[in-house]
């Protein structure tokens, strides 16, 4: 099908709730995507931090083909072998003793589950989260998302349980803390909010304050998890162990899956009947999570994320231009804040066969597959130099 035909059907039959770029893809391989007209693009977006193995990784494809042919869905009425295996693999990479796993279908749902667990296990009503954060579009996740632009017109659906403080501001958090706070929910690095890394001291203090106050510390690793920041989880950069981690995106290499991990002490409050989902953790998506973790370990993708991220930011920092305001990031999530030209740069990259993303107005966000090599990083650096000249 030609691009124009796809666009026509899209305009006629789909909700128009996304601002889509003028391209539709047919297939992918490794670092590259190919559009319906056969043009090649180097992918530095990875489906918004999802395709960490690159596209169509042969081992992942084989595992999915085998699983689809054998068993795709049975529901949580029964024990699920693939779910149990995936939970054990997740527990092998989570920090501390976060070795109890619940599967859901997305990042927002993972945060919903984390919030329900926190409220139920503490018996408290309030949740504190950071301004400029992003936790998803469902009702409670949207409530936790301290950005009015996402909440506007949906207020009737949002619980009044949330209060917000400035990210990395310990005094702001302390001012809101009381014995009714069930949890503090934070991203280790604000992704959608413009690639703002957390401050290690701030996170250590949040841990102490939560412990002293009997509140839970929930870390949203939907975007930062699974090696994206050069450690298995973003919070590992700060040497802090939270009470609950939510994850999704790269966990399933494109299969829709989310999960939370917590401790043996906490998981029990979500007893039978208190929470659940039909699809959550079905054999196909959990087989995907397992093979994803296996490949990440075999190919040392977490280490590669650390090394390539450091290389990239070093090289980008050498570019002298008034247009670049700041370069931030951890591992393979990098933000290049520009004065005015982030969207022009995205367009320039697209024309030159490279996909980059822009978030929070004027920040170019680089979130490539974790298989990226120096040669790919150098292509982007060359484009950035040319663009700025
Ligand atoms: C930190 C964070 N939390 C939650 C979400 C929501 O995840 P999903 O879109 O899978 O619901 C996102 C999505 O971008 C995210 O970046």
């Amino acid at each position: 099908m030609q691009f124009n035909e796809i666009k026509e059907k899209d305009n006629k039959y789909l909700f128009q709730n996304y601002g889509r770029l003028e391209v539709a893809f047919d297939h992918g391989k490794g670092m590259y995507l190919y559009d319906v007209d056969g043009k090649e693009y180097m992918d530095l977006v990875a489906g918004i931090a999802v395709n960490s193995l690159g596209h169509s990784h042969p081992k992942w494809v084989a595992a999915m083909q085998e699983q689809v042919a054998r068993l795709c869905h049975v529901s949580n009425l029964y024990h699920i072998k693939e779910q149990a295996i995936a939970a054990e693999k997740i527990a092998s990479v989570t920090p501390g003793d976060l070795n109890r796993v619940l599967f859901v279908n997305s990042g927002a749902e993972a945060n919903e589950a984390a919030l329900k667990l926190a409220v139920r296990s503490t018996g408290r009503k309030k949740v504190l989260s950071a301004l400029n954060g992003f936790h998803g579009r469902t009702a409670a996740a949207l409530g936790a998302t301290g950005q009015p632009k996402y909440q506007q017109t949906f207020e009737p659906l949002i619980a009044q349980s949330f209060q917000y403080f400035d990210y990395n501001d310990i005094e702001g958090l302390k001012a809101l803390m009381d014995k009714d706070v069930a949890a503090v929910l934070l991203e280790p690095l604000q992704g959608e909010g413009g690639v703002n890394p957390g401050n290690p001291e701030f996170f250590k203090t949040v841990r102490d304050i939560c412990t002293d106050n009997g509140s839970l510390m929930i870390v949203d690793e939907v975007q930062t998890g699974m090696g994206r920041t050069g450690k298995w989880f973003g919070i590992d950069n700060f040497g802090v162990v939270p009470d609950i981690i939510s994850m999704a995106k790269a966990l399933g290499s494109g299969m829709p899956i989310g999960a939370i991990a917590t401790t043996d002490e906490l998981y029990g409050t979500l007893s039978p009947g208190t929470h659940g989902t039909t699809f959550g953790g079905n054999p196909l998506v959990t087989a995907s999570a397992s093979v994803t973790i296996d490949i990440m370990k075999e190919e040392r993708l977490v280490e590669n994320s650390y090394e390539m991220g450091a290389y990239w930011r070093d090289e980008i920092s050498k570019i002298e231009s008034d247009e670049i305001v700041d370069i931030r990031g951890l591992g393979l999530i990098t933000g290049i804040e520009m004065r005015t030209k982030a969207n022009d740069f995205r367009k320039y990259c697209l024309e030159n066969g490279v996909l980059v993303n822009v978030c929070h107005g004027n920040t170019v966000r680089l979130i490539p597959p974790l298989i990226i090599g120096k040669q790919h990083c150098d292509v982007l650096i060359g484009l950035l130099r040319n663009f700025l000249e």
Side-chain angles (χ1 to χ4, degrees):
M1 202 184 284
Q2 297 291 302
F3 178 71
N4 283 344
E5 212 182 322
I6 296 170
K7 208 174 148 185
E8 212 174 286
K9 283 193 202 301
D10 180 317
N11 283 336
K12 190 162 175 206
Y13 295 110
L14 283 171
F15 275 42
Q16 297 298 310
N17 59 319
Y18 298 107
R20 300 180 198 268
L21 298 179
E22 293 289 293
V23 60
F25 296 107
D26 178 73
H27 63 283
K29 187 120 200 71
M31 286 293 299
Y32 298 93
L33 280 167
Y34 299 85
D35 74 12
V36 290
D37 299 322
K39 181 175 170 186
E40 182 183 88
Y41 298 81
M42 188 172 77
D43 182 9
L44 305 181
V45 180
I48 322 183
V50 168
N51 304 107
S52 286
L53 309 179
H55 298 279
S56 311
H57 190 291
K59 183 166 174 174
W60 177 82
V61 170
M64 292 299 90
Q65 284 173 334
E66 189 278 331
Q67 188 65 47
V68 166
R70 190 162 49 77
L71 191 65
C72 185
H73 178 80
V74 289
S75 91
N76 286 300
L77 292 173
Y78 314 103
H79 291 276
I80 298 175
K81 177 180 74 177
E82 292 77 7
Q83 210 178 92
I85 293 171
E88 185 182 24
K89 288 189 194 281
I90 291 172
S92 78
V93 296
T94 49
D97 50 359
L98 302 181
N99 49 21
R100 285 278 175 179
V101 179
L102 170 73
F103 288 106
V104 292
N105 309 294
S106 67
E109 275 187 67
N111 287 327
E112 297 275 337
L115 292 167
K116 282 177 81 171
L117 175 59
V119 166
R120 196 168 156 89
S121 58
T122 60
R124 299 181 181 186
K125 292 194 183 65
K126 277 200 296 198
V127 174
L128 308 183
S129 63
L131 287 164
N132 199 40
F134 187 84
H135 300 290
R137 311 275 193 155
T138 54
L142 192 55
T145 295
Q147 299 196 57
K149 71 173 179 190
Y150 292 116
Q151 297 178 337
Q152 267 157 20
T153 70
F154 299 115
E155 284 89 355
L157 297 174
I158 299 175
Q160 300 305 302
S161 320
F162 299 94
Q163 292 180 357
Y164 315 103
F165 55 93
D166 284 329
Y167 193 56
N168 285 334
D169 174 16
I170 207 66
E171 294 309 318
L173 168 67
K174 277 185 186 162
L176 297 176
M177 206 68 184
D178 63 29
K179 289 290 176 196
D180 208 17
V181 172
V184 177
L185 168 62
L186 282 165
E187 294 160 89
L189 169 153
Q190 290 187 328
E192 302 300 310
V195 189
N196 309 311
N199 175 330
E201 285 313 309
F202 169 77
F203 272 82
K204 287 188 184 110
T205 313
V206 173
R207 173 68 283 179
D208 292 343
I209 291 176
C210 284
T211 305
D212 293 347
N213 197 58
S215 309
L216 300 184
M217 180 177 184
I218 307 173
V219 172
D220 179 341
E221 298 270 6
V222 168
Q223 189 159 152
T224 49
M226 310 311 294
R228 175 58 52 190
T229 68
K231 304 272 182 191
W232 274 101
F233 290 93
I235 195 72
D236 296 335
N237 289 285
F238 312 142
V240 167
V241 180
D243 299 296
I244 309 173
I245 280 180
S246 58
M247 63 195 95
K249 287 194 185 275
L251 177 61
S253 292
M255 289 290 158
I257 184 173
I260 58 171
T262 189
T263 60
D264 280 342
E265 287 72 47
L266 278 174
Y267 82 98
T269 38
L270 285 189
S271 49
T274 56
H275 194 55
T277 142
T278 301
F279 291 128
N282 84 17
L284 181 63
V285 299
T286 44
S288 177
S290 287
V291 72
T292 297
I293 294 172
D294 287 348
I295 295 169
M296 287 186 64
K297 287 181 178 176
E298 283 159 20
E299 299 188 5
R300 299 181 70 254
L301 296 186
V302 182
E303 291 83 350
N304 193 57
S305 171
Y306 180 86
E307 287 156 18
M308 287 302 115
Y311 170 74
W312 223 356
R313 279 185 296 279
D314 273 0
E315 292 299 310
I316 296 169
S317 304
K318 290 178 190 160
I319 300 176
E320 283 177 21
S321 167
D322 289 346
E323 178 58 27
I324 297 182
V325 177
D326 193 20
I327 299 157
R328 315 179 273 271
L330 287 169
L332 280 173
I333 177 163
T334 294
I336 309 171
E337 188 180 335
M338 295 202 167
R339 224 165 275 292
T340 56
K341 296 197 168 72
N343 283 306
D344 293 342
F345 181 60
R346 176 178 62 186
K347 193 161 166 265
Y348 178 75
C349 286
L350 189 68
E351 283 160 10
N352 284 282
V354 174
L355 303 173
V356 301
N357 173 252
V358 172
C359 64
H360 208 63
N362 239 341
T363 299
V364 175
R365 178 173 48 170
L366 306 172
I367 35 176
L370 303 188
I371 58 167
I372 193 171
K374 277 189 181 170
Q375 70 276 27
H376 307 110
C377 297
D378 290 344
V379 170
L380 187 275
I381 293 161
L383 279 178
L384 186 58
R385 276 187 205 283
N386 289 344
F387 174 77
L388 293 172
E389 273 163 20

